[in-house]
Amino acid sequence: MALKLMYITNNPDIARIAEAAGVDRIFIDMEYIGKDARQGGMDTVQSHHTISDVRRISEAVKTAEVLVRVNPIHEASRDYVSSKEEIDLAIEAGADILMLPFFKTVDEVEYFIRYVNRRARVMLLLETLEAEDVVDDILKLDGIDEMFIGLNDLSLGYGKKFMFELLTDGTVETLCLKFRQKKIPYGFGGIASLGKGMLSAEYVIREHYRLGSTCVILSRSFCKVDNMTDLKEVRTVFDKELPKIRELEKECEMYSRYFWENRKEVEEKIKYICG
């Protein structure tokens, strides 16, 4: 099954271009509480999108889902509304999926699930060492629809130099296995266009298939809209680069199916042998 591709934008015109090219989810990023402090100096997306953006994107797209990353669980203050009100407003504005970032405890996840109350799908962004420590307890909760591993913050927590180191030290693989055992769909990280990125996207995509991932973010470097003056340039990038990703996926799916079918047969034969 093809990866669900997610693209971050609050521009309705770009959202429609991405949707037409085959992007599955338009990602509205409202998270800002504490983000500047923990990611200061990093070349990461800090979008500061708003409820108005959720509404505009929801009205602009027809087939793509609207994914909204809200803020970590918080109380109301002089500067922002409470988590409950923020979640209510996002759902009313048209969010199909709500993502909870930077949680550390089971209680935070319970609050989030309760606030959403099945009015939208729940995606948890696991990106703290504290959350990883209690992930088994978190996965016992009802109401989790998807998991996503946030490589940026999680790698910072581990003191890594490069976020994709988590693919080679067993961190991502261990988490994916836990999600798969609970039959919860999952994804991780972001990709540029093929041949681009410090670790070329084709290597990362193959890891997604090896690990059974179901979704990935198209990174800011996939389409550098800030450097473009014309929507035609944006459309050209999506129309040219997205089919390349889908073509590579066909190859990945063919080989991953072969190995998964072999594993299934091995399991059946071992069960037979062990009687």
Side-chain angles (χ1 to χ4, degrees), residues 10 12 28 30 49-59 89-90 93:
N10 66 339
I28 302 296
M30 300 204 308
H49 294 167
T50 67
I51 292 294
S52 295
D53 293 320
V54 178
R55 186 171 293 105
R56 291 193 304 146
I57 294 299
S58 178
E59 293 171 352
L89 290 170

Side-chain angles (χ1 to χ4, degrees), residues 1-7 21-25 65 146 148 185-192 194 201-218 242 244-250 252-253 256:
M1 186 175 72
L3 291 168
K4 291 186 181 298
L5 301 178
M6 308 186 288
Y7 185 70
V23 167
D24 303 283
R25 293 171 174 174
E65 296 177 304
E146 294 186 49
F148 199 86
Y186 52 88
F188 59 86
I191 56 170
L194 298 193
E202 48 265 50
Y203 292 109
V204 182
I205 290 170
R206 291 183 185 119
E207 282 294 279
H208 275 268
Y209 272 81
R210 182 180 72 84
L211 295 167
S213 170
T214 59
C215 61
V216 66
I217 297 169
L218 295 175
L242 212 134
K244 294 179 183 178
I245 291 175
R246 295 307 192 193
E247 192 61 33
L248 175 63
E249 284 189 87
K250 292 178 183 177
C252 294
E253 190 167 359
S256 64

Side-chain angles (χ1 to χ4, degrees), residues 9-171:
T9 185
N10 66 339
N11 184 316
D13 292 326
I14 294 176
R16 281 189 285 262
I17 289 171
E19 177 185 51
V23 167
D24 303 283
R25 293 171 174 174
I26 304 300
F27 192 143
I28 302 296
D29 186 8
M30 300 204 308
E31 182 193 7
Y32 69 95
I33 297 175
K35 195 169 184 179
D36 289 340
R38 70 178 189 265
Q39 292 190 349
M42 292 186 68
D43 184 24
T44 55
V45 177
Q46 297 182 21
S47 304
H48 300 285
H49 294 167
T50 67
I51 292 294
S52 295
D53 293 320
V54 178
R55 186 171 293 105
R56 291 193 304 146
I57 294 299
S58 178
E59 293 171 352
V61 299
K62 292 182 172 63
T63 59
E65 296 177 304
V66 178
L67 167 63
V68 180
R69 174 161 58 188
V70 295
N71 282 288
I73 296 296
H74 62 275
E75 298 295 333
S77 74
R78 183 175 58 186
D79 298 319
Y80 40 77
V81 299
S82 69
S83 280
K84 184 179 185 307
E85 187 172 353
E86 182 180 65
I87 289 166
D88 287 341
L89 290 170
I91 293 170
E92 290 169 9
D96 298 301
I97 307 164
L98 289 181
M99 174 186 277
L100 175 66
F102 215 70
F103 57 90
K104 298 180 178 182
T105 67
V106 177
D107 285 346
E108 289 172 283
V109 177
E110 285 185 309
Y111 292 144
F112 186 66
I113 292 171
R114 191 181 314 138
Y115 293 158
V116 176
N117 195 24
R118 300 193 181 277
R119 294 173 295 165
R121 297 206 298 286
V122 165
M123 176 185 276
L124 303 182
L125 177 60
L126 195 156
E127 54 184 345
T128 69
L129 299 183
E130 294 88 344
E132 187 181 5
D133 286 341
V134 295
V135 67
D136 291 330
D137 292 323
I138 288 171
L139 294 177
K140 292 176 184 176
L141 300 174
D142 291 328
I144 301 171
D145 297 299
E146 294 186 49
M147 298 292 301
F148 199 86
I149 304 170
L151 298 183
N152 275 331
D153 278 302
L154 196 57
S155 64
L156 282 175
Y158 274 110
K160 302 290 187 182
K161 295 180 180 178
F162 183 43
M163 66 179 181
F164 285 116
E165 286 184 81
L166 299 183
L167 285 175
T168 59
D169 69 1
T171 300

